[in-house]
Amino acid sequence: MTIGELEAAAAEVWAETLGCDLRLLGEPGGHLVPGGARLQDLNGVYMAAVGACVLVYCPGRLRARAAAVLASTSPPLLFSAGTCARIAAVDRTQVFGPSWHGFTDAAHFTPAVTGAGRLLDRRDHLLAGLREACGQADWAEGGFDDPDGVIYGIEEDGCLAAAGNLTPFRGYPADIGLLTHPAARGRGFAKQIAVQMIADALRAAGIIRYRALVTNAPSLAIARSLGFAGYGKNLIARLPA
């Protein structure tokens, strides 16, 4: 794919995720969307920014408030934790993100290092040790709570130096999450495991997605070094059960 084709494919992913017409992504301003199949099970507010377009999914009981908030918010502030919190009626500290979304395909993937890592069973005891060392917040950010994730690991001295997972994306395990043991950071393990996962998944999936918090500079550097192009961001506020 050319860059234009990759952007078009990423736009189709957003439209499918949000349950909206592809043409809506070219409309500046704030818009309510019905949500795709995966979003409709979310008890929360999901906000996406694609260019100058801001799209919001929320449960039906919040749609009137969401419409009022979007109508009363100036364009520069539409995509913000404050706006997401107002729609969800939660404190802004309960808003997660923003997360950067990057995409790559076979034409743009640049394996900057040799891939490494082996497949792991989700019940592997080494994963529990990595989770304890990194903490629940980093574990969740990497997508490791997803029960359908395909997990890889690099072992060193009887522990996991790093792990990666491919969670479902467009029907394939093709959404990348990474986690490195605090004692092993800065040694390139995450990039090696990312290369291995992408190489394994790319042929079947066709397009790979990489998400990271915009504040996670090391993770974003890995993504960009491997040929991921950014296209869109999201915020999410989970509602009380």
Side-chain angles (χ1 to χ4, degrees):
M1 294 184 186
T2 65
I3 287 291
E5 290 172 330
L6 183 58
E7 288 181 351
E12 290 178 1
V13 169
W14 276 115
E16 179 182 349
T17 298
L18 298 163
C20 68
D21 190 291
L22 186 62
R23 292 170 293 184
L24 185 60
L25 300 181
E27 296 291 333
H31 309 275
L32 286 174
V33 294
R38 288 178 70 86
L39 272 187
Q40 289 179 10
D41 291 331
L42 173 69
N43 182 35
V45 174
Y46 186 94
M47 179 176 285
V50 183
C53 181
V54 176
L55 306 110
V56 176
Y57 165 79
C58 61
R61 68 185 185 275
L62 298 182
R63 288 183 71 84
R65 178 163 64 212
V69 169
L70 293 178
S72 64
T73 303
S74 62
L77 297 178
L78 280 172
F79 184 73
S80 67
T83 300
C84 190
R86 286 170 61 202
I87 294 172
V90 299
D91 188 86
R92 64 185 300 157
T93 59
Q94 301 302 307
V95 178
F96 181 81
S99 290
W100 176 90
H101 290 231
F103 301 84
T104 198
D105 57 23
H108 298 94
F109 174 43
T110 53
V113 297
T114 301
R118 62 179 178 88
L119 282 168
L120 294 176
D121 187 290
R122 296 192 62 84
R123 296 164 295 181
D124 195 306
H125 71 281
L126 294 177
L127 284 169
L130 183 64
R131 181 176 187 169
E132 182 177 356
C134 294
Q136 177 59 32
D138 286 353
W139 180 266
E141 181 189 341
F144 287 86
D145 281 332
D146 192 319
D148 298 319
V150 177
I151 298 181
Y152 289 66
I154 294 177
E155 186 176 345
E156 184 178 68
D157 298 329
C159 298
L160 283 181
N165 79 94
L166 291 166
T167 50
F169 173 61
R170 300 172 70 236
Y172 298 95
D175 199 359
I176 288 182
L178 298 169
L179 193 60
T180 303
H181 193 288
R185 289 173 185 166
R187 297 168 57 193
F189 289 126
K191 184 180 290 188
Q192 292 173 37
I193 213 164
V195 167
Q196 186 65 53
M197 293 193 299
I198 295 167
D200 289 351
L202 197 52
R203 180 174 297 179
I207 183 170
I208 306 292
R209 182 171 67 180
Y210 189 118
R211 291 176 292 174
L213 290 174
V214 298
T215 54
N216 191 340
S219 189
L220 293 177
I222 290 172
R224 290 170 175 142
S225 74
L226 298 180
F228 284 86
Y231 191 77
K233 301 173 184 175
N234 85 278
L235 291 160
I236 187 168
R238 298 193 181 275
L239 300 171

